[in-house]
């Protein structure tokens, strides 16, 4: 077995793997936010298929998850957007936990989170300017993916800094 020591003193025991000691807290935060994203998306998916109105998310015509979750924009090629959210957040969770020690993970995490953020911003645009109704669950998801993207950018920047 070979050991490699970086300028910071971090040891990597396998080729293609990187020590994540400086980034462990960031990966934990990303994993926690991603898990919260899975939960929020699962609730949103349940509301997508529900027959009854949502009491906790109905604040009149301007804030109503049911209007958003059951609109024509709530699916993409027949797949519920909330289902796409569950898969996306699960991928981010896996990258931040199971695959965090791989050298390519910071880049993959950043690319995946930026893609999720762009999609969430598009959906937020639809809420505000097409449907003219806001969804608390969707806005929560937007906050989560924005936080994940910020943290993934920090992880990637730290990996890019030599020494």
């Amino acid at each position: 077995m070979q050991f490699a020591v970086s300028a910071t003193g971090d040891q990597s025991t396998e080729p293609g793997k990187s020590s994540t000691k400086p980034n462990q807290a960031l990966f934990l935060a990303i994993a926690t936010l991603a898990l919260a994203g899975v939960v929020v998306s699962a609730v949103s998916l349940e509301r997508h298929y529900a027959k009854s109105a949502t009491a906790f998310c109905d604040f009149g015509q301007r804030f109503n998850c049911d209007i958003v979750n059951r609109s024509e924009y709530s699916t993409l090629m027949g797949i519920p957007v909330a289902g796409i959210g569950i898969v996306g957040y699960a991928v981010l969770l896996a990258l931040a936990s199971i695959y965090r020690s791989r050298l390519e993970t910071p880049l993959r995490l950043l690319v995946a989170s930026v893609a999720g953020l762009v999609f969430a911003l598009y959906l937020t645009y639809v809420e505000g300017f097409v449907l003219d109704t806001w969804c608390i669950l969707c806005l929560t998801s937007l906050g989560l993916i924005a936080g994940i993207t910020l943290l993934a950018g920090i992880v990637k920047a730290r990996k890019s800094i030599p020494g």
Side-chain angles (χ1 to χ4, degrees):
M1 181 179 292
Q2 293 181 346
F3 290 93
V5 179
S6 73
T8 60
D10 293 338
Q11 293 184 354
S12 177
T13 57
E14 296 181 42
K17 295 213 174 184
S18 167
S19 174
T20 58
K21 277 190 175 185
N23 290 325
Q24 278 183 337
L26 292 173
F27 280 124
L28 179 60
I30 291 169
T32 302
L33 292 174
L35 184 58
V38 169
V39 171
V40 168
S41 295
V43 171
S44 189
L45 183 63
E46 186 275 328
R47 295 316 314 155
H48 175 81
Y49 288 114
K51 304 280 189 235
S52 62
T54 305
F56 74 88
C57 194
D58 183 3
F59 301 105
Q61 198 66 12
R62 295 282 294 158
F63 285 91
N64 189 313
C65 293
D66 291 332
I67 292 173
V68 175
N69 279 324
R70 296 178 188 154
S71 75
E72 63 183 286
Y73 298 96
S74 67
T75 60
L76 182 65
M77 295 185 293
I79 302 168
V81 168
I84 295 169
I86 291 171
V87 171
Y89 282 119
V91 167
L92 293 169
L93 177 60
L95 286 171
S97 57
I98 299 168
Y99 299 107
R100 73 174 180 238
S101 63
R102 295 193 179 184
L103 287 174
E104 63 275 3
T105 294
L107 178 61
R108 289 180 179 174
L109 194 57
L110 182 59
V111 168
S113 62
V114 166
L117 180 60
V118 168
F119 189 53
L121 288 171
Y122 162 73
L123 294 172
T124 303
Y125 168 82
V126 169
E127 285 180 54
F129 296 102
V130 177
L131 299 174
D132 199 32
T133 302
W134 300 98
C135 169
I136 300 299
L137 294 170
C138 303
L139 294 174
T140 301
S141 182
L142 175 63
L144 292 170
I145 193 64
I148 290 169
T149 303
L150 175 67
L151 295 174
I154 293 169
V155 168
K156 177 63 178 128
R158 283 186 176 179
K159 289 290 184 184
S160 300
I161 297 172

